[in-house]
Amino acid sequence: MIRWVVVVFLALILINGITPWLRKLGLGRLPGDFHFRLFGRDWFIPLASTLVLSGLLSLIARYV
C-alpha cells in the first residue's frame, strides 16, 4: 500500500514539473480538458490530455 502512495506522489511531482512543456505541445488545451475557477482557485481537469498520454504510454510499453 505504501508503495502505491509513493508512486502516485512521484508521478504527481513529475507531471507537475513537465506540465509547462506539455502545454507548449498543445496538451492541456484539448477539447476535453476542463479549466474553471471555483472558490477563488483555478481548477484544471485534463481528461482528454490524460487519455492521449495514456494511449501513447501504452503503445510505448507494448512495443518496447
Side-chain angles (χ1 to χ4, degrees):
M1 178 71 178
I2 192 76
R3 187 180 307 168
W4 282 108
V5 172
V6 171
V7 167
V8 168
F9 179 73
L10 291 175
L12 288 174
I13 289 174
L14 177 69
I15 290 170
N16 190 29
I18 64 172
T19 298
W21 181 71
L22 291 175
R23 286 193 183 192
K24 288 181 183 177
L25 294 175
L27 293 174
R29 294 181 291 192
L30 296 175
D33 295 337
F34 301 108
H35 184 78
F36 56 93
R37 180 177 283 280
L38 184 66
F39 302 122
R41 291 191 64 179
D42 287 330
W43 295 88
F44 179 63
I45 302 172
L47 294 177
S49 294
T50 302
L51 290 174
V52 169
L53 288 175
S54 176
L56 285 174
L57 290 175
S58 67
L59 286 174
I60 290 171
R62 178 175 287 170
Y63 295 114
V64 172

